[in-house]
Amino acid sequence: MRALAAEVAKLVSLPSVWIATAAGVLVPSGIAAINASAARGAITRGARATAGADLGYQELAFGVVGVIILGVVAISSEYVTESAESGGGRQITTSLTAVPSRLRFLLAKASAVAIAGASLAIVAGAATMSAVRVVLGEHAPPLGTDDVPRLAGVVCYWVCAALLAFAITVLTRHGVVPLAVLIANTSVVSVTYLLTKITPLANYLPDLAGAHMFVRTFAGGTVEISPLTGGLVMTAWTTALLTVAAVAFTRRDA
Amino acid sequence: MTVITIDDLVKRRGSREILSGISFQARPGRVTGFLGPNGAGKSSTLRILLGLDRATSGTALIGSVPFARLPDPLATVGAMLDGSGAHRARTGRAHLRWVARSAGLPRRRVDEVLEVVGLTNAASKRIGGYSLGMGRRLALATALLGDPEILILDEPVNGLDPDGIRWIRTFLRERAASGRTVLLSSHLMGELAETVDDVVIIKEGRVVADGTLEEVTGSHGTLEDAFFALTTGGAP
């Protein structure tokens, strides 16, 4: 528990974590507000009847960039090397002399990332759904019991995404490459989505499979995946990568 | 319980042998100077002792257990390695606070160690803005948080101003006088002769001298002369 308390304290005192938090809340709620405004225009013109069941959810799949940043910086900050003039030290040496068990250290850090990721998902989910309702007013689709498992799916998706980013960065020990690749894949060009054009197996990559937990209609979707299967597939990916990361981390020199 | 015992430590990286059988002890109540030129294997030895790197063979023990199996590491060993050992975006106080949390130490300890190393006024500044000397003081404050029985310091005087060097010498002598164990590495001889009781000199991964300051200095006159005679292979 002490190790976890230390990891939570580290996250809270790191400025880049606050940037991640801002991105996680503002990106999905901002895009949702813009899309809701467009949908409202279409509804009042009579071009469409409803706003669509995925409004808000699609944006939350996007907003996962926030927890990707969180997962990456949580571990890359340990390996940032001070300038030579400052002595060339790294925080990881301090961390591992305070908590010498590699496994305990990694478990505490992963738990802190999961807790922060879940909290951020709840806040972002509330902000995004509120933005949709504020903009659409009477045209907003009502939130019902149907939305409970979907919103739980969002939280699960964000936690898994944070832990995947975390596990990859444990392996690279450097934040820039995982950050660039993972954010580009989420926001600019979805490489995993393009891969589905080549093989249907790509639908079982973690980000696509996991999104089935809460997104209902996929443009050009080629494979039927139930929300439960999607969640299990993403959890399996996360567990596998965390295991590989833990094995590498406990074996190599700090 | 607080003897440091290094026994036949070997470390290979690829085909290069960095340590070729290092053995020595650091005892309570004494300051042990671990000396050698840059690249001799001082930091590698200390990193293995602290469980950061893995030895190819041999053991490094704190009392009777490896560092990684200490029940309360921060209260047993205070370590100071390269630089500040902290992330530049945090403040000095925030850094010490998370370390204190990891050992369940009260917040009061953070202010106490800041006071001891003279960083109280810079505690709310980001570490990125610290000078090398301030970073080293922060690293020492971190090592002192748990009021440990053992201090392991890698090049502690590097980057300190003359005042700081004088201060740390007195400080380490006091720690040893109170029965604690101090092991410090250095490549600077002049700074150390007045501080250490025991001397271990290594060269290219091997111990070339091990004894009390008087024994190692011997007929060379000064520790510095002895050091160069032993490490450069030149005339004594």
Side-chain angles (χ1 to χ4, degrees):
Chain A
M1 280 318 278
R2 285 172 173 180
L4 176 59
E7 290 306 327
V8 171
K10 276 185 197 172
L11 285 184
V12 172
S13 58
L14 204 58
S16 46
V17 166
W18 292 104
I19 295 173
T21 306
V25 176
L26 297 178
V27 167
S29 55
I31 300 175
I34 294 166
N35 289 347
S37 164
R40 186 194 160 103
I43 293 168
T44 45
R45 278 199 314 275
R48 4 187 324 200
T50 62
D54 278 341
L55 187 59
Y57 290 100
Q58 289 277 14
E59 291 80 358
L60 283 167
F62 232 48
V64 81
V65 287
V67 287
I68 288 174
I69 300 172
L70 172 80
V72 169
V73 299
I75 189 76
S76 68
S77 61
E78 295 282 347
Y79 289 103
V80 173
T81 309
E82 290 175 292
S83 64
E85 306 89 74
S86 302
R90 291 182 310 169
Q91 184 183 283
I92 188 79
T93 58
T94 309
S95 296
L96 290 178
T97 43
V99 182
S101 160
R102 301 279 171 99
L103 218 50
R104 201 155 77 83
F105 167 79
L106 208 62
L107 201 64
K109 212 177 216 2
S111 305
V113 166
I115 292 167
S119 316
L120 188 50
I122 291 166
V123 174
T128 304
M129 291 308 170
S130 306
V132 169
R133 260 121 215 108
V134 168
V135 174
L136 279 180
E138 60 192 297
H139 302 296
L143 276 178
T145 46
D146 238 22
D147 290 287
V148 175
R150 290 181 83 185
L151 288 170
V154 170
V155 175
C156 181
Y157 186 75
W158 282 40
V159 169
C160 284
L163 290 174
L164 280 167
F166 172 77
I168 292 167
T169 314
V170 169
L171 295 171
T172 61
R173 282 185 270 192
H174 206 284
V176 175
V177 172
L179 210 52
V181 170
L182 294 172
I183 290 182
N185 187 57
T186 310
S187 55
V188 186
V189 183
S190 173
V191 177
T192 42
Y193 176 72
L194 292 177
L195 279 175
T196 61
K197 305 288 168 202
I198 300 166
T199 164
L201 281 177
N203 285 292
Y204 291 93
L205 285 166
D207 55 334
L208 289 181
H212 283 86
M213 285 188 280
F214 53 91
V215 175
R216 290 287 176 262
T217 42
F218 282 83
T222 44
V223 174
E224 275 302 316
I225 297 176
S226 76
L228 183 64
T229 312
L232 290 175
V233 169
M234 192 176 194
T235 309
W237 275 102
T238 309
T239 313
L241 267 158
L242 279 175
T243 308
V244 173
V247 169
F249 186 72
T250 47
R251 287 191 178 182
R252 76 186 174 208
D253 286 348
Chain B
M1 183 38 211
T2 53
V3 180
I4 297 172
T5 310
I6 310 272
D7 188 22
D8 202 15
L9 223 49
V10 175
K11 173 74 178 177
R12 277 188 214 101
R13 254 187 213 118
S15 60
R16 220 161 68 82
E17 192 161 83
I18 294 158
L19 303 176
S20 319
I22 299 277
S23 300
F24 69 90
Q25 281 197 323
R27 294 175 187 81
R30 302 183 74 81
V31 177
T32 305
F34 186 38
L35 313 180
N38 284 329
K42 302 185 297 292
S43 294
S44 295
T45 305
L46 298 186
R47 286 177 64 88
I48 291 169
L49 176 58
L50 293 168
L52 295 169
D53 290 359
R54 199 177 294 264
T56 307
S57 66
T59 53
L61 303 177
I62 308 288
S64 55
V65 295
F67 179 83
R69 275 199 264 132
L70 288 173
D72 200 352
L74 232 49
T76 314
V77 177
M80 173 176 173
L81 294 170
D82 295 327
S84 67
H87 192 280
R88 48 181 296 115
R90 273 194 202 91
T91 63
R93 183 176 281 114
H95 173 72
L96 290 168
R97 278 201 180 150
W98 76 250
V99 180
R101 286 218 173 178
S102 76
L105 297 166
R107 264 181 186 212
R108 172 175 48 80
R109 271 305 286 163
V110 170
D111 292 320
E112 284 170 10
V113 292
L114 281 166
E115 182 78 44
V116 169
V117 302
L119 271 183
T120 305
N121 290 331
S124 308
K125 286 193 190 139
R126 286 196 200 281
I127 295 156
Y130 282 15
S131 66
L132 173 57
M134 289 162 83
R136 299 302 280 156
R137 283 168 189 263
L138 180 66
L140 184 63
T142 313
L144 294 174
L145 265 179
D147 193 19
E149 297 158 56
I150 298 176
L151 282 180
I152 297 172
L153 313 173
D154 195 6
E155 303 275 0
V157 296
N158 253 16
L160 290 183
D161 50 23
D163 254 9
I165 294 175
R166 193 186 157 94
W167 172 82
I168 204 167
R169 276 208 296 244
T170 319
F171 179 78
L172 295 178
R173 291 281 0 133
E174 283 169 9
R175 298 292 285 192
S178 66
R180 296 169 210 245
T181 310
V182 179
L183 171 62
L184 59 91
S185 79
S186 185
H187 66 281
L188 301 167
M189 296 314 108
E191 313 297 349
L192 271 177
E194 297 162 53
T195 314
V196 301
D197 304 295
D198 295 326
V199 180
V200 178
I201 299 180
I202 67 166
K203 179 195 177 185
E204 290 163 12
R206 284 172 211 282
V207 174
V208 292
D210 180 4
T212 64
L213 180 62
E214 293 73 34
E215 286 168 1
V216 171
T217 307
S219 61
H220 297 288
T222 67
L223 178 61
E224 193 165 9
D225 289 341
F227 176 81
F228 285 115
L230 288 160
T231 57
T232 57

Coordinates of all heavy atoms in Angstrom, one line a residue, chain A residues 2 8 37 50-51 60 67 78 93 101 105-106 108 154 168 170 174 182 191 194 199-200 205 208 217 223 231 238:
Chain A
R2 N 2.0 1.2 0.7 CA 2.9 2.4 0.7 C 3.4 2.7 -0.6 O 3.5 3.8 -1.1 CB 4.1 2.1 1.7 CG 3.8 2.1 3.1 CD 5.0 1.6 3.9 NE 4.8 1.8 5.3 CZ 5.8 1.4 6.2 NH1 6.9 0.9 5.7 NH2 5.6 1.6 7.4
V8 N 0.9 7.1 -6.5 CA -0.2 8.0 -6.7 C 0.4 9.4 -6.5 O 0.1 10.4 -7.3 CB -1.4 7.8 -5.8 CG1 -2.4 8.9 -5.8 CG2 -2.0 6.4 -6.1
S37 N -23.8 19.5 -32.1 CA -24.3 20.8 -32.8 C -24.6 20.5 -34.2 O -25.7 21.0 -34.7 CB -23.2 21.9 -32.6 OG -23.5 22.9 -33.5
T50 N -33.0 11.3 -35.7 CA -32.4 11.2 -34.4 C -30.9 11.5 -34.5 O -30.3 11.6 -35.6 CB -32.5 9.9 -33.7 OG1 -31.8 8.9 -34.5 CG2 -34.0 9.4 -33.6
A51 N -30.3 11.7 -33.3 CA -28.9 12.0 -33.2 C -28.0 10.8 -33.4 O -26.8 10.9 -33.6 CB -28.5 12.7 -31.9
L60 N -15.8 9.3 -27.1 CA -15.0 8.8 -25.9 C -14.0 7.7 -26.4 O -12.9 7.6 -25.7 CB -16.0 8.1 -25.0 CG -16.8 9.1 -24.1 CD1 -17.9 8.5 -23.4 CD2 -15.8 9.8 -23.1
V67 N -5.6 9.0 -21.6 CA -5.0 8.0 -20.7 C -3.8 7.3 -21.4 O -3.0 6.7 -20.7 CB -6.1 6.9 -20.3 CG1 -7.0 7.5 -19.3 CG2 -6.8 6.3 -21.5
E78 N 10.3 8.0 -15.3 CA 11.3 7.3 -14.5 C 12.6 7.3 -15.2 O 13.7 7.2 -14.5 CB 10.8 5.9 -14.2 CG 9.6 5.8 -13.3 CD 9.9 6.0 -11.8 OE1 11.1 6.0 -11.4 OE2 8.9 6.2 -11.1
T93 N 16.4 5.1 -10.3 CA 17.4 4.6 -9.3 C 16.8 4.9 -7.9 O 16.9 4.1 -7.0 CB 18.8 5.2 -9.4 OG1 18.6 6.6 -9.4 CG2 19.4 4.9 -10.7
S101 N 11.7 -4.3 -4.6 CA 11.1 -5.4 -5.3 C 10.6 -4.9 -6.7 O 9.7 -4.1 -6.7 CB 10.0 -6.1 -4.5 OG 9.2 -6.8 -5.4
F105 N 7.1 -2.8 -7.3 CA 7.1 -1.5 -7.8 C 6.2 -1.4 -9.1 O 5.4 -0.5 -9.2 CB 8.6 -1.2 -8.2 CG 8.8 0.0 -9.1 CD1 8.7 1.3 -8.6 CD2 8.9 -0.1 -10.5 CE1 8.8 2.4 -9.4 CE2 9.1 1.0 -11.3 CZ 9.0 2.3 -10.7
L106 N 6.4 -2.4 -10.0 CA 5.6 -2.3 -11.2 C 4.1 -2.5 -10.9 O 3.3 -1.8 -11.6 CB 6.1 -3.4 -12.2 CG 5.9 -3.1 -13.6 CD1 6.7 -1.9 -14.0 CD2 6.4 -4.3 -14.5
A108 N 2.5 -1.6 -8.2 CA 2.1 -0.4 -7.6 C 1.8 0.7 -8.6 O 0.8 1.4 -8.6 CB 3.1 0.1 -6.5
V154 N -16.8 1.9 -21.5 CA -15.8 3.0 -21.7 C -14.7 3.1 -20.6 O -13.5 3.2 -21.0 CB -16.6 4.4 -21.7 CG1 -15.6 5.6 -21.7 CG2 -17.5 4.5 -22.9
I168 N 3.9 -1.0 -22.9 CA 4.7 -0.8 -24.1 C 5.9 0.1 -23.7 O 7.1 -0.1 -24.1 CB 3.9 -0.2 -25.3 CG1 3.0 -1.2 -25.8 CG2 4.9 0.3 -26.4 CD1 1.9 -0.7 -26.8
V170 N 7.2 0.5 -20.7 CA 8.1 -0.2 -19.8 C 9.2 -0.9 -20.7 O 10.4 -0.9 -20.4 CB 7.4 -1.3 -19.0 CG1 8.4 -2.3 -18.3 CG2 6.5 -0.7 -17.9
H174 N 11.3 4.7 -23.0 CA 11.4 6.1 -23.6 C 10.0 6.4 -24.1 O 9.3 5.6 -24.7 CB 12.4 6.1 -24.8 CG 13.0 7.4 -25.0 ND1 12.3 8.4 -25.6 CD2 14.2 8.0 -24.7 CE1 13.0 9.5 -25.6 NE2 14.2 9.3 -25.1
L182 N 1.0 5.6 -30.7 CA -0.3 5.3 -30.1 C -1.3 6.5 -30.4 O -2.5 6.3 -30.7 CB -0.2 5.0 -28.6 CG 0.5 3.7 -28.3 CD1 0.8 3.6 -26.8 CD2 -0.2 2.5 -28.8
V191 N -4.1 2.9 -38.0 CA -3.4 1.8 -38.7 C -4.1 0.5 -38.5 O -4.3 -0.3 -39.4 CB -1.9 1.7 -38.3 CG1 -1.2 0.6 -38.9 CG2 -1.2 3.0 -38.5
L194 N -7.0 0.4 -40.8 CA -6.6 0.1 -42.2 C -6.2 -1.4 -42.4 O -6.5 -2.0 -43.4 CB -5.4 0.9 -42.6 CG -5.7 2.4 -42.7 CD1 -4.4 3.2 -43.0 CD2 -6.7 2.7 -43.8
T199 N -6.9 -7.9 -43.5 CA -7.3 -9.2 -42.9 C -8.4 -8.9 -41.8 O -8.2 -8.0 -41.0 CB -6.1 -9.9 -42.2 OG1 -6.6 -10.9 -41.3 CG2 -5.2 -8.9 -41.4
P200 N -9.4 -9.7 -41.8 CA -10.4 -9.6 -40.7 C -9.9 -9.8 -39.3 O -10.5 -9.4 -38.4 CB -11.5 -10.6 -41.1 CG -10.8 -11.6 -42.1 CD -9.7 -10.8 -42.7
L205 N -7.5 -6.8 -32.9 CA -6.5 -5.9 -32.2 C -7.1 -5.2 -31.1 O -8.3 -4.9 -31.1 CB -5.8 -5.0 -33.2 CG -4.9 -5.7 -34.2 CD1 -4.5 -4.8 -35.4 CD2 -3.6 -6.1 -33.5
L208 N -9.6 -1.9 -31.6 CA -10.8 -2.2 -32.3 C -11.7 -3.1 -31.6 O -13.0 -2.8 -31.5 CB -10.5 -2.7 -33.7 CG -9.8 -1.7 -34.7 CD1 -9.6 -2.4 -36.0 CD2 -10.7 -0.5 -34.9
T217 N -22.2 0.9 -34.1 CA -22.1 0.7 -35.5 C -20.7 1.1 -36.0 O -20.2 2.2 -35.7 CB -23.1 1.6 -36.2 OG1 -23.2 2.9 -35.6 CG2 -24.5 0.9 -36.2
V223 N -16.5 -7.7 -39.1 CA -16.7 -8.9 -38.3 C -17.6 -8.5 -37.1 O -17.5 -7.4 -36.6 CB -15.3 -9.3 -37.7 CG1 -15.5 -10.4 -36.6 CG2 -14.4 -9.8 -38.8
G231 N -14.5 -6.9 -24.9 CA -13.9 -6.6 -23.6 C -12.9 -7.6 -23.2 O -11.8 -7.3 -22.8
T238 N -4.1 -6.8 -22.9 CA -3.5 -6.0 -21.8 C -2.7 -6.9 -20.8 O -1.6 -6.6 -20.5 CB -4.6 -5.2 -21.0 OG1 -5.4 -4.5 -22.0 CG2 -4.0 -4.2 -20.1

